Amino acid sequence: MSCLGNLLWFLFGGLWQGLGWGLAGVLWSITIVGIPIGRQCFKFASLAFFPFGKEVQYGGGAVSLLLNIVWLILSGLPLALGAAVNGLVLCCTIIGIPFGMQCFKLAKLALMPFGAEVR
């Protein structure tokens, strides 16, 4: 199921969300200070392209909290809002509910990416 789900996801929404994470990574990587944040964005872009069969575990400490606050103010809200709206649209049909749930997983990740680990 995860292979078919990932293929359908990539074709019908994952491409755009992955490109959004990739664009955020490129913009953060332009500055030397933002390179660690950009690397995190690229890691989550691969999750946005193919999310089925993967889980996100949250953790972290004080540094993660500070980075999440900076991230939320500068980049997190547009990515989270886009994923949440996409999830709401997909959940309007029964067939789209699994895809909508993946969008909500990505929206939560867009709000708190630091300290999160993809498994």
Side-chain angles (χ1 to χ4, degrees), residues 21-71:
W21 277 100
L23 177 64
V26 167
L27 292 175
W28 276 104
S29 295
I30 289 174
T31 65
I32 294 174
V33 175
I35 289 175
I37 299 172
R39 289 185 59 213
Q40 191 80 347
C41 290
F42 293 133
K43 185 188 329 178
F44 293 133
S46 68
L47 174 69
F49 284 132
F50 304 108
F52 286 94
K54 297 178 185 171
E55 291 184 26
V56 179
Q57 304 239 336
Y58 293 94
V63 175
S64 296
L65 176 67
L66 292 174
L67 285 174
N68 279 330
I69 291 171
V70 171
W71 167 261

Side-chain angles (χ1 to χ4, degrees), residues 8-9 15 18 21 23 25 29 31 34 36-37 40 52 61 64 71 86 88 94 102-103 105 108 111 116 118:
L8 290 173
W9 169 263
L15 175 65
W21 277 100
L23 177 64
S29 295
T31 65
I37 299 172
Q40 191 80 347
F52 286 94
S64 296
W71 167 261
N86 195 16
L88 287 173
I94 293 177
Q102 297 300 321
C103 286
K105 177 170 69 173
K108 182 179 177 184
L111 292 175
V118 178

